[in-house]
């Protein structure tokens, strides 16, 4: 698999998984807020646990959980923010109806976000098979630029 193939597949996976990734991101952000608000190292026991044979370090454990959540959030933001900006740009008021960008937006909505088949999407948009795949490649190429490739 070439580097371009990998990038294409990565961008397309970001498009397919956008809604799921946004939902996961919201859950992780809520978990981080909850952990930050409710979790405290006060009153934690630092006694040796007989079964484990070492001291518990509540501060380090809490910090590690926070760092893991923040890392997961950054990873998902890296995959969702560029796609959100792309979608916002394709829906912007300066994109006139009938513009080629409108077709790209509809492919994004129907095929990637709506998870419809390429045949149903092409039929809805009045595109031939070749036109649909050409437009889809154009959309993925545009998303690659938004993703920084």
């Amino acid at each position: 698999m070439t580097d371009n193939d990998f990038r294409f597949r990565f961008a397309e996976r970001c498009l397919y998984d956008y809604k799921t990734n946004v939902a996961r991101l919201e859950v992780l952000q809520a978990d981080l807020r909850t952990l930050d608000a409710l979790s405290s190292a006060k009153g934690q026991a630092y006694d040796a646990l007989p079964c484990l044979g070492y001291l518990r370090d509540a501060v380090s454990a809490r910090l590690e959980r926070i760092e893991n959540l923040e890392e997961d959030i950054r990873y998902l933001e890296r995959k969702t923010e560029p796609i959100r900006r792309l979608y916002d740009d394709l829906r912007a008021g300066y994109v006139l109806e009938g513009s080629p960008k409108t077709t790209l937006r509809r492919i994004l909505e129907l095929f990637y976000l709506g998870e419809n088949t390429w045949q149903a999407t092409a039929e809805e948009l009045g595109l031939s098979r070749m036109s649909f795949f050409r437009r889809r490649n154009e959309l993925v190429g545009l998303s690659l630029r938004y993703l920084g490739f």
Side-chain angles (χ1 to χ4, degrees), residues 37-89:
L38 300 178
S39 179
S40 171
K42 293 185 231 172
Q44 297 292 328
Y46 291 93
D47 305 343
L49 296 175
C51 62
L52 299 178
Y54 62 89
L55 295 176
R56 289 187 297 178
D57 186 356
V59 175
S60 295
R62 179 177 181 267
L63 183 59
E64 184 178 340
R65 283 194 308 268
I66 290 172
E67 287 175 343
N68 288 340
L69 279 173
E70 288 174 340
E71 183 179 331
D72 291 345
I73 288 170
R74 279 192 303 275
Y75 175 75
L76 285 174
E77 283 176 340
R78 171 70 176 94
K79 294 170 76 175
T80 57
E81 284 302 311
I83 302 303
R84 182 196 52 77
R85 283 193 302 272
L86 169 63
Y87 188 43
D88 289 347
D89 286 348

Side-chain angles (χ1 to χ4, degrees), residues 53 73 127 130 148:
I73 288 170
L127 298 173
M130 188 64 104

Side-chain angles (χ1 to χ4, degrees), residues 5-21 24 75 79-80 83 112-113 115 140 143-144 147:
D5 291 338
F6 173 77
R7 288 179 180 156
F8 185 91
R9 291 185 189 281
F10 175 78
E12 199 166 41
R13 183 55 37 207
C14 289
L15 292 169
Y16 278 123
D17 293 344
Y18 176 74
K19 291 187 319 182
T20 305
N21 286 338
R24 290 176 55 208
Y75 175 75
K79 294 170 76 175
T80 57
I83 302 303
Y112 290 107
L113 302 180
E115 300 178 12
V140 174
S143 68
L144 278 168
L147 287 162

